[in-house]
């Protein structure tokens, strides 16, 4: 498959009073045309910062983005000037955010907000843009879309606002949609509607999607490949089946075991959940070895001394873990 | 049921006025809780699930008398406590405590952990300072923190640790019933598992009963013995967990269960049939409040509200499909 986006060795640092925070520390992955890549991790692992730095949306200072390259269709986004970057934002790559109430402009009607990218990027007249905006709002299932062009975001429910955001993001038919926790603020029944809408639009427009989420259920239902992040690093990357069927990294395994699943109780009393002991290290902490070592049940001396690389395990599965070279260190009953 | 339940809720109603003021009348009423009845047995974990705005949090607050009900009664071991004086209610609150969702806003940032944990003790009993400190140390260690943490402020802790502090505070007066309002919703999955396990241990050690309020079905299913599903201020289905998971009866419960994205990429679900949003509790639909979104709706659903009736032993459903003479022939059981 053809590569749409290639990220190599991306690091984002923030200068804080507590020291340099390494929010993203050497992240790299490829995104192929037409695929949904799930970027998964817990709060503070750097998944949102990774996404924001693709479009260079991190303000500097305090942030500093460094990468070997961020190639989008062969062009390095890091080399583009402001005008070229503006052409890409919202047209070639667009983004939807977690909280639609804060990401929509509260003082502009929704029709105007959906029409704006068309006027900016396509140079169409206001009338044409509004006409197309109405079609898109209807397409994302806003009821009576044409009559609602002059509604303001506060007049809509959370699910409807997220639909408006999605319409805004896709009006220019982008090649890549970055969806940052698009359903986290929504109820499950609404979440399921929105996920289905994203899938449908992806097929219709032939988009690729970078889906950022902490919810493993959402990833299992949506993604074709998954990258798991921990403390600013990708710790495992694999096809979605491999991640769930034979996770390699102890953190991936821990995450999968920690979540309660529906139907677990059927036929037996609840077992205990396997939480991962300890907490995520502060981003300012300098660690010579593996960042997960302190919480890892298999930890041995080398883990504390030398950081593991992202080792290839098999076709398409990679893990950042010394157990690749020392499989005998893996404890059987954890 | 021969024994007196620990908590009995009878036809509880809470309507909040909308608009209006000291001199003017309310323009409308939000029917947050609209006729809810259930019992909680001693030693039981009772789950309340529902989407945002279904009234589950209001119900939790009503049970603790943090707000006054519009109608109905609440009994603790057979004693109606809705009409108690403030002083008597204060005494009553030693027997029931609450844990809140947001571990950031539910702890006073200007109080040290020591004072936070023992505040319920100061409010209800005369206990010496030294004794309070002793209690605080014991509780803190019981929830997995250390004595040295007593003199710290809330901002020095992570979300999971703060939730532990909130739990220690609730345990301080040795309550019999704890209302846990979304206690793990703000936490990452690995930390969530730690807290759930701890809550299960504490339940045994302190002989607690829980009312566990959550929007997350898999968490509720894991921890609870019985589950009630709420929608627009009313209970739609109430059943023991096993029978709830194996044979959910109400169409809303089924949609809710189906909407949860399963962490299994081999079982990709087809998109959900449930359309639209939850209607406004200011002007709920007539008849069954779910009828505009239900795919089984027939004439009677639009006119009459179904009562919560026992369809199989201990399994209660409020749906005309499941009631003899409901209007659609014999009850639909599968």
């Amino acid at each position: 498959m053809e590569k749409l986006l290639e990220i190599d060795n991306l690091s984002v640092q923030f200068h804080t009073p507590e020291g340099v925070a390494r929010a993203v520390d050497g992240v790299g992955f490829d995104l192929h045309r037409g695929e949904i890549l799930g970027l998964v991790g817990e709060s503070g692992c750097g998944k949102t910062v990774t996404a924001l730095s693709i479009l260079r949306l991190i303000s500097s200072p305090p942030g500093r983005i460094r990468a070997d390259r961020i190639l989008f269709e062969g062009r390095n986004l890091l080399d583009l000037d402001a005008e070229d970057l503006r052409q890409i934002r919202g047209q070639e790559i667009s983004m939807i955010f977690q909280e639609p109430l804060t990401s929509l402009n509260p003082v502009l009607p929704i029709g105007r907000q959906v029409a704006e990218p068309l006027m900016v990027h396509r140079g169409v007249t206001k009338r044409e843009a509004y006409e197309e905006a109405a079609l898109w709002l209807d397409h994302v299932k806003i009821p009576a879309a044409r009559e609602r062009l002059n509604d303001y975001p506060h007049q809509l429910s959370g699910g409807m606002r997220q639909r408006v955001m999605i319409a805004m993001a896709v009006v220019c038919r982008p090649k890549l949609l970055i969806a940052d926790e698009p359903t986290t603020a929504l109820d499950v029944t609404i979440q399921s509607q929105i996920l289905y809408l994203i899938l449908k639009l992806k097929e219709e427009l032939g988009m690729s999607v970078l889906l950022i989420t902490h919810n493993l259920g959402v990833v299992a239902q949506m993604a074709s490949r998954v990258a798991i992040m921990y403390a600013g690093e990708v710790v495992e990357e694999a096809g979605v089946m491999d991640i769930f069927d034979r996770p390699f990294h102890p953190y991936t395994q821990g995450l999968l075991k920690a979540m309660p699943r529906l139907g677990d109780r059927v036929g037996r009393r609840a077992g205990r959940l396997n939480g991962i002991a300890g907490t995520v290290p502060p981003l300012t902490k300098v660690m010579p070895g593996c960042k997960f070592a302190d919480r890892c049940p298999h930890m041995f001396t080398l883990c504390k001394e030398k950081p593991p690389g992202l080792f290839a395990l098999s076709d398409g599965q990679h893990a950042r873990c010394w157990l690749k070279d020392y499989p005998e260190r893996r404890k059987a009953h954890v | 049921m021969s024994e007196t339940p620990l908590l009995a809720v009878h036809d509880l109603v809470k309507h909040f006025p909308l608009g209006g003021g000291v001199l003017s009348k309310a323009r409308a009423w939000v029917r947050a809780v609209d006729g809810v009845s259930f019992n909680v047995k001693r030693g039981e974990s009772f789950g309340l699930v529902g989407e945002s705005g279904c009234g589950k949090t209001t119900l939790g607050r009503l049970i603790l008398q943090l707000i006054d009900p519009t109608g109905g009664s609440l009994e603790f071991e057979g004693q109606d406590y809705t009409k108690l004086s403030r002083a008597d209610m204060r005494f009553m609150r030693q027997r029931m405590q609450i844990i809140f969702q947001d571990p950031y806003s539910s702890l006073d940032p200007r109080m040290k952990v020591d004072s936070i944990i023992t505040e319920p003790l100061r409010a209800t009993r005369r206990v010496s300072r030294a004794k309070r400190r002793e209690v605080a140390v014991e509780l803190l260690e019981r929830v997995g923190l250390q004595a040295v943490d007593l003199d710290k402020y809330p901002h020095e802790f992570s979300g999971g640790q703060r939730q532990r502090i909130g739990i220690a505070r609730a345990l301080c007066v040795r309550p019999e019933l704890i209302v846990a309002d979304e206690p793990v919703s703000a936490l990452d999955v690995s930390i969530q598992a730690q807290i759930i396990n701890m809550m299960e241990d504490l339940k045994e050690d302190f002989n607690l009963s829980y009312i566990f309020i959550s929007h997350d079905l898999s968490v509720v299913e894991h921890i609870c013995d019985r589950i009630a599903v709420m929608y627009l201020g009313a209970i739609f289905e109430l059943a023991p967990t096993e029978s709830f998971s194996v044979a959910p009866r109400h169409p809303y419960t089924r949609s809710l269960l189906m909407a949860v994205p399963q962490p299994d990429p081999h079982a990709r679900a087809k998109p959900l049939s449930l359309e639209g949003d939850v209607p406004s509790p200011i002007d709920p639909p007539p008849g069954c409040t779910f009828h505009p979104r239900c795919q089984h709706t027939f004439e009677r659903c639009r006119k009459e509200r179904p009562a919560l009736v026992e369809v199989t032993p201990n399994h209660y459903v409020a749906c005309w499909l499941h009631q003899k003479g409901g209007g659609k022939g014999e009850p639909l059981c599968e």
Side-chain angles (χ1 to χ4, degrees):
Chain A
M1 264 196 299
E2 196 192 339
K3 285 176 188 169
L4 181 70
L5 179 75
E6 289 179 72
I7 299 180
D8 268 347
N9 199 17
L10 171 71
S11 293
V12 184
Q13 302 184 340
F14 293 94
H15 292 268
T16 70
E18 285 81 38
V20 177
R22 291 170 181 78
V24 176
D25 200 6
V27 162
F29 56 81
D30 297 339
L31 181 64
H32 298 101
R33 236 176 247 284
E35 86 172 345
I36 299 185
L37 174 68
L39 195 57
V40 183
E42 300 181 286
S43 348
C45 73
K47 52 194 194 301
T48 295
V49 174
T50 300
L52 291 173
S53 37
I54 295 172
L55 285 171
R56 301 220 319 251
L57 291 171
I58 303 277
S59 54
S60 168
R64 201 168 58 176
I65 305 175
R66 269 191 308 197
D68 290 351
R69 55 182 190 168
I70 301 180
L71 283 188
F72 177 73
E73 293 196 307
R75 273 182 298 172
N76 192 347
L77 297 182
L78 293 170
D79 296 339
L80 298 182
D81 60 26
E83 178 52 34
D84 287 342
L85 200 59
R86 205 172 68 91
Q87 286 303 321
I88 288 194
R89 289 179 184 154
Q91 177 158 240
E92 310 261 328
I93 304 178
S94 58
M95 196 159 174
I96 52 179
F97 301 91
Q98 172 172 353
E99 184 36 77
L101 191 56
T102 49
S103 4
L104 290 172
N105 189 334
V107 298
L108 291 181
I110 59 169
R112 162 81 194 276
Q113 296 190 57
V114 177
E116 189 175 89
L118 289 165
M119 293 190 278
V120 170
H121 291 302
R122 295 276 146 91
V124 299
T125 64
K126 194 173 166 188
R127 193 195 193 99
E128 288 165 339
Y130 273 75
E131 189 59 34
E132 200 166 337
L135 291 176
W136 276 105
L137 285 172
D138 184 54
H139 195 66
V140 299
K141 295 235 173 75
I142 300 281
R146 204 164 289 274
E147 288 86 70
R148 301 195 90 141
L149 285 176
N150 291 319
D151 280 10
Y152 289 88
H154 75 268
Q155 294 171 292
L156 306 173
S157 69
M160 288 298 160
R161 283 182 209 131
Q162 199 56 290
R163 287 172 194 274
V164 171
M165 275 264 283
I166 292 174
M168 266 170 80
V170 299
V171 277
C172 288
R173 300 173 178 265
K175 291 171 184 143
L176 172 61
L177 177 70
I178 301 174
D180 187 3
E181 302 269 10
T183 57
T184 305
L186 307 174
D187 282 317
V188 280
T189 58
I190 310 299
Q191 163 170 281
S192 144
Q193 296 169 4
I194 296 293
L195 292 178
Y196 176 61
L197 177 66
I198 293 175
L199 273 181
K200 193 176 106 178
L201 289 169
K202 171 200 164 277
E203 290 306 321
E204 287 171 5
L205 302 175
M207 295 185 298
S208 305
V209 181
L210 179 61
L211 178 68
I212 298 166
T213 179
H214 70 283
N215 186 328
L216 287 162
V218 169
V219 174
Q221 295 295 319
M222 301 279 290
S224 44
R225 273 189 326 121
V226 182
I228 309 270
M229 285 188 72
Y230 183 79
E233 294 178 331
V234 172
V235 295
E236 182 157 5
E237 190 198 332
V240 67
M241 299 296 176
D242 286 340
I243 286 283
F244 286 87
D245 293 346
R246 43 191 193 105
F248 185 90
H249 199 284
Y251 178 64
T252 314
Q253 295 176 339
L255 273 186
L256 288 167
K257 272 193 252 167
M259 61 183 304
R261 293 165 190 242
L262 269 185
D264 261 6
R265 282 281 289 271
V266 178
R268 64 188 162 90
R269 287 296 298 175
R272 288 176 70 78
L273 294 170
N274 297 283
I276 302 174
T279 47
V280 180
L283 296 171
T284 45
K285 191 172 168 187
V286 179
M287 299 166 104
C290 167
K291 290 183 177 175
F292 186 61
D294 287 336
R295 303 177 75 188
C296 182
H298 312 285
M299 195 265 290
F300 55 100
T301 330
L302 181 62
C303 306
K304 288 274 209 180
E305 290 167 353
K306 202 175 159 196
L310 194 62
F311 303 123
L313 303 169
S314 63
D315 189 32
Q317 187 167 12
H318 295 75
R320 191 179 293 281
C321 181
W322 284 121
L323 291 174
K324 157 75 168 61
D325 291 344
Y326 302 90
E328 71 283 359
R329 296 285 187 164
R330 195 184 282 272
K331 298 189 180 104
H333 304 288
V334 175
Chain B
M1 238 183 285
S2 52
E3 56 173 325
T4 315
L6 184 65
L7 177 81
V9 178
H10 296 298
D11 202 22
L12 200 63
V13 176
K14 178 67 188 179
H15 293 177
F16 290 103
L18 205 66
V22 183
L23 297 173
S24 54
K25 272 169 108 182
R27 276 184 287 116
W29 296 88
V30 177
R31 298 158 186 264
V33 173
D34 209 11
V36 164
S37 306
F38 63 91
N39 293 334
V40 178
K41 287 173 252 176
R42 192 173 279 281
E44 184 177 40
S45 294
F46 185 86
L48 274 176
V49 290
E51 299 183 280
S52 11
C54 73
K56 52 193 194 300
T57 293
T58 305
L59 183 54
R61 285 168 194 235
L62 284 169
I63 289 168
L64 276 138
Q65 289 281 285
L66 298 176
I67 45 178
D68 289 325
T70 311
S73 73
L74 288 160
E75 288 173 13
F76 198 86
E77 288 203 309
Q79 186 198 352
D80 187 339
Y81 61 92
T82 46
K83 312 224 161 38
L84 292 181
S85 67
R86 280 175 74 91
D88 287 343
M89 190 57 221
R90 183 170 274 221
F91 187 74
M92 189 55 132
R93 280 214 191 91
Q94 293 182 50
R95 306 181 68 180
M96 43 180 136
Q97 287 285 311
I98 187 164
I99 304 170
F100 296 98
Q101 166 170 10
D102 185 349
Y104 292 86
S105 59
S106 58
L107 304 179
D108 187 331
R110 289 166 303 184
M111 276 165 85
K112 286 183 179 169
V113 170
D114 180 15
S115 325
I116 291 176
I117 294 185
T118 54
E119 192 175 22
L121 212 52
R122 289 201 306 280
T124 50
R125 286 175 225 170
R126 284 173 191 278
V127 182
S128 74
R129 202 178 151 72
K131 175 72 183 158
R132 283 203 308 261
R133 183 110 182 152
E134 204 176 293
V135 170
V137 171
E138 190 200 325
L139 283 169
L140 211 55
E141 285 173 352
R142 192 61 201 75
V143 296
L145 295 170
Q146 291 155 359
V148 294
D149 294 327
L150 274 183
D151 295 309
K152 293 186 183 164
Y153 288 94
H155 75 263
E156 297 176 67
F157 297 92
S158 68
Q161 289 170 325
R162 285 176 203 219
Q163 203 53 295
R164 290 172 192 269
I165 295 168
I167 292 171
R169 171 174 63 186
L171 290 173
C172 175
V173 286
R174 303 290 161 129
E176 293 153 73
L177 175 70
I178 288 187
V179 174
D181 187 1
E182 303 265 15
V184 295
S185 305
L187 307 176
D188 278 318
V189 60
S190 68
I191 308 298
Q192 172 177 307
Q194 295 173 1
I195 302 289
I196 291 175
N197 285 340
M198 189 182 77
M199 287 183 70
E200 287 185 316
D201 293 342
L202 292 171
K203 176 168 176 273
E204 298 302 316
D205 298 352
F206 288 79
N207 289 317
L208 297 170
S209 306
Y210 285 132
I211 293 181
F212 198 96
I213 300 172
S214 180
H215 70 283
D216 187 333
L217 276 160
S218 29
V219 168
V220 169
E221 204 191 75
H222 182 86
I223 204 167
C224 296
D225 304 308
R226 282 194 302 151
I227 299 177
V229 176
M230 286 187 74
Y231 187 81
L232 279 180
I235 293 180
F236 271 7
E237 185 155 8
L238 194 166
T241 303
E242 282 75 14
S243 118
F244 178 88
S245 323
V246 177
R249 298 295 177 84
H250 199 288
Y252 176 64
T253 314
R254 291 183 185 187
S255 316
L256 210 53
L257 284 163
M258 263 169 50
V260 178
Q262 289 304 297
D264 179 2
H266 298 285
R268 292 210 168 167
K270 32 180 207 301
L272 186 76
S273 51
L274 196 59
E275 297 274 338
D277 285 321
V278 180
S280 158
I282 299 164
D283 183 23
C288 171
T289 48
F290 185 59
H291 87 254
R293 300 175 80 192
C294 182
Q295 47 179 337
H296 304 287
T297 304
F298 56 98
E299 205 44 44
R300 192 164 191 180
C301 308
R302 296 190 186 91
K303 289 180 181 148
E304 290 172 70
R305 179 166 157 174
L308 192 66
V309 296
E310 191 168 12
V311 290
T312 54
N314 298 318
H315 195 134
Y316 297 80
V317 182
C319 177
W320 289 121
L321 289 175
H322 295 282
Q323 295 186 14
K324 277 216 169 72
K328 265 223 156 166
E330 281 305 289
L332 178 90
C333 277
E334 199 32 62

